[in-house]
Amino acid sequence: MLRAIEIVEAGFRTTVEDLGRPAATRHGVPAGGAFDPRALRALNAALGNDAGAAGLEIWMRGPVLVNVGTEPIALALAGAGFGWELMRDGLPRAMPPDAALSLRPRERLAIRAPARGGRGWLGLAGGVDVPRVLGSRSTCLAAGFGGFAGRALRAGDRLAIGPNQGSLVLGQRRAIEAVPNLDGTMVLRVLPGPQAAALAPKDLPMLMGAHWRVSESCDRIGVRLEPEEPGVAPCVGVPGGIEPEGTTLGALQLPPDGRPVLLGPDRPATGGYAKPLLVARVDLGRMASLVPGDRLRFVAISLDEALALLAAAST
Amino acid sequence: MKLVRVGELAWLVELAPEDETPALFAARLDDGRHPAVAGITPAACSVLVEFDGASCELPDGDAILTAAWRGGASAARGPTLLRPARRHHIPVFYDGADLAEVARRTGLSAGAVIARHAGVLYRVAFLGFQPGFAYLRGLDPALVLPRHATPRTRVPAGSVAIAEKWAGIYPARTPGGWQLLGRTEVQLFDATSTEPALLQAGDEVEFTPC
């Protein structure tokens, strides 16, 4: 039996991602992996996959794909506001986004991103079967390896899909994240970062009090923020930087220009700038959904609160 | 040694100069890896340890890392690296875009900058920034200069560069802010190799003008 999909339209930037290669950072390699690891884990659980099976991460505009294999492939979708449309018997059908569906041979599926864009994930029963490089199937765009040929997907790419790994129940509904504050201001809950205490005294109130806007520089490496009110003095950070140290997903880094950057999965393995805040893991999905122009602000929570929220979200 | 919690799932092990080096502690941690440890990132004077986010039971990083630290202090066996340290000879064409400016700012001739850069033996402290990028300790203090205030949008692959107290080589084309002294054709990173980075923590590096 052949299990494969072909990309008909690539979308804006669609990459193969699993849970990344955290053990490869000692080679200077970015950890990579799904921007919201919990979203990919949930898809894999719904499809009976191993937690680390590879799916597709979708950015801004969804791909169109076709089953070019000889047997149905079960799929599941995540990402705030994402939907999908199945071409079955020559007719487009909008399908519920919160239940797995079965894509039969020769059927086409169009992933629809919300009008604002954002980030979504497509899980495939059996997982995308590209070779593991340095322990992972994730795409390392910076160095051009991993994923499919080390790059974002293009029309015409054929992806082998692994055999079903477990049992799944089609039509079973999953909880799906709501579209976050499309017209208002996104709120990200944050914890103190490793250099919270080393900042210039005015920086922390400035970081926490300001409204921020996501700049055009917004990708899997990082999300650069600008103060929303013009004339607001940027932060100072830690002058001269810090000794380079390992970085975590969701850390807020302050470079010398005072414009904070939220670090994404493809961030460099180490960095020499102060990290005064960390996005709580429970809000990584919200952070992943940020697009240029979005407004956001931070709300401080304690580590205990963050742990409780994470535990509640995982059950 | 000091443990700093970094969010829900990570700990930063901060090491003092008299402690075991980050690379050695990282190798030792990896050697007796706790099943909950997902990532170990040694850097200049710290090791970031990230735990797996899957399990419902959150790991007690303080206890795991304290035990690992003590285990090393009392263990008779020496710490193991990924492999024995090597010495690398890197041939360099000293024609970098910043060579003249580095000479001007240090008050040295271009020839003296080259002589001082090539005249010492460096040791790899850790890898970071991009795949295969090694931070080299041992730079002549006369060559210590800050990074460019505005990074170049494109630094060519193989660029031999310095910044602050560090020396390094860019394995691939990338944006970057270091002072460029020259270039080499040595391949520093190959993702398909079992040992993807040519330079490993603990290795020695020597630059040879050509």
Side-chain angles (χ1 to χ4, degrees):
Chain A
M1 298 298 257
L2 175 70
R3 290 169 63 80
I5 59 164
E6 185 174 305
I7 303 299
V8 179
E9 289 173 29
F12 181 74
R13 187 180 297 138
T14 305
T15 53
V16 176
E17 305 293 345
D18 58 11
L19 296 175
R21 39 181 75 83
T25 52
R26 79 191 54 193
H27 305 300
V29 172
F35 208 127
D36 180 8
R38 279 198 307 127
L40 183 66
R41 285 179 194 277
L43 292 179
N44 282 332
L47 292 165
N49 284 349
D50 299 335
L56 301 183
E57 184 168 296
I58 300 153
W59 172 234
M60 298 307 278
R61 198 170 68 239
V64 177
L65 47 95
V66 58
N67 184 343
V68 290
T70 57
E71 61 176 285
I73 296 169
L75 306 166
L77 185 64
F82 274 74
W84 48 9
E85 204 175 78
L86 182 63
M87 284 298 289
R88 178 162 286 174
D89 309 322
L91 293 169
R93 300 175 187 205
M95 305 295 282
D98 54 350
L101 64 76
S102 180
L103 187 68
R104 299 174 193 158
R106 291 180 303 285
E107 282 183 343
R108 274 182 187 221
L109 182 74
I111 310 294
R112 303 286 185 217
R116 68 186 284 272
R119 189 168 263 113
W121 296 268
L122 181 71
L124 303 97
V128 179
D129 189 15
V130 291
R132 275 205 181 89
V133 182
L134 297 176
S136 164
R137 297 187 166 95
S138 289
T139 312
C140 181
L141 291 175
F145 68 84
F148 186 90
R151 59 167 171 78
L153 297 178
R154 295 178 192 152
D157 288 347
R158 270 187 182 221
L159 303 179
I161 308 301
N164 283 325
Q165 294 170 348
S167 59
L168 76 155
V169 186
L170 288 178
Q172 191 178 339
R173 298 292 175 99
R174 287 173 299 111
I176 199 157
E177 208 138 335
V179 180
N181 298 306
L182 288 192
D183 305 313
T185 298
M186 174 107 71
V187 174
L188 289 181
R189 288 165 287 189
V190 291
L191 300 167
Q195 284 82 35
L199 282 194
K202 282 183 187 160
D203 277 2
L204 212 50
M206 158 74 198
L207 279 170
M208 296 304 301
H211 282 67
W212 300 94
R213 193 173 283 279
V214 176
S215 80
E216 290 300 314
S217 169
C218 172
D219 57 24
R220 285 177 45 85
I221 297 173
V223 178
R224 185 171 284 266
L225 308 179
E226 288 162 354
E228 176 143 273
E229 298 86 14
V232 169
C235 307
V236 183
V238 174
I242 59 166
E243 290 280 10
E245 68 182 23
T247 55
T248 55
L249 178 59
L252 179 140
Q253 179 175 272
L254 263 186
D257 66 2
R259 307 287 192 221
V261 180
L262 295 167
L263 298 179
D266 288 349
R267 69 199 179 278
T270 63
Y273 300 126
K275 296 174 291 295
L277 299 175
L278 307 167
V279 174
R281 291 192 71 92
V282 70
D283 279 350
L284 287 178
R286 285 190 192 178
M287 179 184 150
S289 75
L290 289 171
V291 297
D294 276 357
R295 298 171 48 164
L296 83 153
R297 64 189 179 84
F298 300 113
V299 169
I301 60 171
S302 70
L303 179 61
D304 284 341
E305 287 171 298
L307 289 168
L309 286 166
L310 189 61
S314 328
T315 49
Chain B
M1 189 276 274
K2 191 178 129 202
L3 284 176
V4 179
R5 181 103 184 232
V6 181
E8 298 93 327
L9 295 173
W11 274 259
L12 197 61
V13 186
E14 295 185 341
L15 300 170
E18 67 274 15
D19 285 336
E20 188 174 32
T21 68
L24 286 175
F25 181 54
R28 201 154 57 75
L29 262 182
D30 191 43
D31 209 25
R33 183 183 280 250
H34 189 280
V37 169
I40 303 169
T41 309
C45 41
S46 64
V47 180
L48 179 76
V49 183
E50 294 183 272
F51 289 85
D52 193 346
S55 106
C56 313
E57 195 92 343
L58 283 169
D60 186 350
D62 280 308
I64 293 168
L65 295 170
T66 303
W69 179 256
R70 290 206 183 117
S74 62
R77 68 182 172 83
T80 52
L81 280 168
L82 297 179
R83 57 158 171 74
R86 288 185 198 146
R87 184 178 289 195
H88 305 270
H89 300 273
I90 309 285
V92 181
F93 299 95
Y94 280 96
D95 56 0
D98 296 318
L99 182 60
E101 181 65 9
V102 168
R104 191 188 65 77
R105 292 177 66 178
T106 54
L108 298 167
S109 67
V113 170
I114 295 168
R116 285 179 184 251
H117 182 262
V120 291
L121 192 59
Y122 298 87
R123 189 177 290 278
V124 177
F126 67 100
L127 279 78
F129 172 59
Q130 69 167 172
F133 188 102
Y135 283 76
L136 307 176
R137 279 192 205 280
L139 183 67
D140 188 313
L143 297 182
V144 171
L145 287 173
R147 293 169 174 81
H148 290 288
T150 306
R152 283 190 171 83
T153 51
R154 277 182 185 184
V155 172
S159 290
V160 173
I162 56 172
E164 313 287 351
K165 63 185 176 190
W166 302 103
I169 314 167
Y170 286 86
R173 193 180 72 183
T174 172
W178 289 30
Q179 311 282 347
L180 310 183
L181 300 184
R183 69 197 152 83
T184 181
E185 285 166 4
V186 172
Q187 193 192 352
L188 293 146
F189 184 78
D190 175 7
T192 61
S193 165
T194 51
E195 202 181 278
L198 177 72
L199 307 179
Q200 296 281 347
D203 283 1
E204 293 174 327
V205 175
E206 225 175 13
F207 294 109
T208 315
C210 60

